[in-house]
């Protein structure tokens, strides 16, 4: 996995700070400001429920809305379960640096599984992907040591399986039928379907619906 060297904190983009006014919001912590090409990184997604009542949430990284240079890896749809009102929970998320350049980390959304209400996040971070061995003085996004982690109140629904970016990251499937190549947005894939995206750099999604 990639290793970040810088120490100083950088501010979130202005549009990321707009999430402070959202009822459900996401922060990405621990992802370096500069990523090395063809390296995988792990960060923390902090999902905050600012409402007074609990919500049954699913964290989504929508590949079609992500920049071509930085893609979510591993699990891309995560069933969080019930998040109590006025609380937050931490979700580990992997990212893969696929193409050099300056990128905005978009494509994140949170869905309420009981009501289908969704909150689409703006650009959460500005990142640079550089060739291996090339570095620029860009700071990392630090983990906040004093942040509070709230445990989940319930397990995800069995009818809402998690979704992975690579079939090798997912648990064994009982369905051995051939996968279809689909565009996630145009095919109208529902959150409860098990969706697999081909590992970078291929821009294809595989659908495996377990019966």
């Amino acid at each position: 996995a990639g290793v970040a060297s810088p120490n100083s904190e950088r501010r979130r983009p202005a549009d990321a700070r707009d999430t402070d006014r959202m009822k459900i919001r996401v922060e990405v912590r621990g992802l370096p400001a500069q990523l090395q090409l063809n390296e995988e990184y792990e960060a923390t997604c902090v999902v905050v429920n600012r409402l007074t009542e609990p919500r049954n949430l699913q964290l989504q990284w929508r590949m079609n809305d992500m920049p071509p240079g930085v893609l979510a890896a591993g699990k891309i749809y995560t069933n969080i379960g019930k998040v109590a009102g006025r609380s937050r929970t931490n979700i580990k998320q992997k990212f893969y640096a696929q193409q050099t350049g300056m990128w905005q980390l978009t494509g994140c959304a949170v869905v309420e599984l009981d009501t289908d209400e969704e909150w689409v996040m703006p650009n959460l971070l500005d990142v640079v992907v550089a060739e291996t061995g090339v570095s620029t003085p860009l700071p990392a996004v630090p983990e906040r040591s004093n942040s509070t982690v709230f445990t989940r109140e319930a397990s995800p629904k069995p009818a809402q399986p998690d979704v992975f970016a690579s079939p090798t990251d997912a648990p064994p499937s009982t369905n051995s039928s051939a996968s279809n190549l689909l565009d996630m947005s145009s095919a109208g894939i529902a959150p409860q379907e098990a969706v697999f995206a081909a590992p970078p750099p291929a821009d294809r999604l595989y659908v495996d619906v377990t019966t």
Side-chain angles (χ1 to χ4, degrees):
V3 177
S5 52
N7 321 329
S8 57
E9 181 176 0
R10 80 176 190 264
R11 291 173 61 83
R12 292 181 293 158
D15 45 355
R17 293 193 292 273
D18 290 343
T19 62
D20 294 342
R21 297 190 292 270
M22 299 176 70
K23 296 177 181 177
I24 304 292
R25 63 186 178 90
V26 178
E27 298 177 19
V28 177
R29 300 177 182 174
L31 188 68
Q34 177 172 308
L35 311 182
Q36 296 298 310
L37 183 64
N38 298 326
E39 291 284 355
E40 188 176 89
Y41 296 82
E42 184 175 86
T44 300
C45 297
V46 183
V47 181
V48 182
N49 179 10
R50 301 182 65 207
L51 300 168
T52 56
E53 67 273 10
R55 290 299 182 100
N56 185 22
L57 302 178
Q58 182 184 72
L59 176 66
Q60 299 182 357
W61 286 95
R62 299 171 176 177
M63 307 294 275
N64 287 348
D65 297 327
M66 295 196 72
V70 182
L71 297 176
K75 188 184 296 184
I76 57 175
Y77 281 19
T78 302
N79 291 318
I80 302 173
K82 291 285 186 180
V83 178
R86 305 291 186 186
S87 67
R88 65 185 67 196
T89 188
N90 288 1
I91 304 295
K92 293 295 183 181
Q93 179 63 53
K94 294 180 179 179
F95 296 94
Y96 184 80
Q98 177 176 268
Q99 183 177 326
T100 58
M102 300 181 65
W103 308 103
Q104 294 183 330
L105 190 60
T106 55
C108 180
V110 178
V111 174
E112 218 292 345
L113 295 178
D114 295 333
T115 64
D116 291 331
E117 187 177 4
E118 69 174 35
W119 295 268
V120 178
M121 302 297 124
N123 171 31
L124 296 176
L125 287 177
D126 294 328
V127 295
V128 173
V129 177
E131 293 280 359
T132 303
V134 177
S135 62
T136 56
L138 293 176
V141 177
E143 295 280 359
R144 298 183 186 175
S145 57
N146 59 348
S147 60
T148 304
V149 180
F150 294 81
T151 57
R152 290 170 285 194
E153 297 182 345
S155 300
K157 292 182 175 180
Q160 302 286 343
D162 291 330
V163 182
F164 299 80
S166 171
T168 58
D169 296 320
S173 172
T174 57
N175 187 350
S176 60
S177 59
S179 300
N180 297 320
L181 301 181
L182 297 175
D183 177 89
M184 190 186 305
S185 59
S186 62
I189 296 172
Q192 64 269 23
E193 294 176 317
V195 180
F196 300 91
D203 185 18
R204 300 182 300 177
L205 298 180
Y206 295 84
V207 178
D208 178 11
V209 181
T210 303
T211 58

